[in-house]
Amino acid sequence: PVFAGMNGSAIENFSCVIYNIFLMNCTWQAGRHAPADTQYFLYWQNPRDDKEMECELYIKDENGRNMGCRFQNVRIEIEKAYFLVNGSSKDALIQFYDEYIELY
């Protein structure tokens, strides 16, 4: 399928670190070609229940752009979680990024 959105506008270098089973930090970088006003939003889904949840606590850069998420009080005991980061901008369609990540 062709993904809608401007090439190079999806986030890059997505990664998540779990500090203990209740604390997880995910971070990313803005797409190289994303317009300056692009704001990103992270959703994640635990395969055991189908709720998609948006990040509650974004980590922001000095321009107020979401560059990560701090998850607190999540019980992370799942083998695989689905993460989706989409973006919005006045100037362009932003490509989304998604990944199933093995949590351990």
Side-chain angles (χ1 to χ4, degrees):
V2 176
F3 292 110
M6 191 172 90
N7 270 339
S9 62
I11 61 156
E12 300 172 23
N13 297 331
F14 182 79
S15 70
C16 295
V17 177
I18 297 171
Y19 293 97
N20 59 46
I21 70 165
F22 297 109
L23 198 63
M24 176 169 70
N25 265 6
C26 295
T27 56
W28 58 83
Q29 287 168 333
R32 235 165 296 192
H33 301 303
D37 75 330
T38 305
Q39 184 58 286
Y40 293 105
F41 304 96
L42 171 69
Y43 298 88
W44 79 299
Q45 198 168 11
N46 159 349
R48 295 207 183 135
D49 54 34
D50 285 333
K51 297 200 303 273
E52 194 177 64
M53 292 172 285
E54 187 181 354
C55 172
E56 286 178 14
L57 190 59
Y58 283 108
I59 302 163
K60 294 177 178 289
D61 67 11
E62 61 282 0
N63 303 315
R65 190 190 257 190
N66 297 338
M67 297 319 272
C69 181
R70 191 166 286 130
F71 293 94
Q72 291 166 318
N73 303 319
V74 283
R75 274 193 86 76
I76 300 159
E77 298 164 332
I78 44 187
E79 306 72 56
K80 244 184 188 174
Y82 173 70
F83 293 89
L84 167 71
V85 180
N86 59 28
S88 66
S89 156
K90 292 189 305 289
D91 300 329
L93 267 178
I94 304 303
Q95 291 176 316
F96 70 85
Y97 169 94
D98 67 344
E99 189 179 0
Y100 279 92
I101 295 186
E102 200 80 45
L103 300 174
Y104 52 85

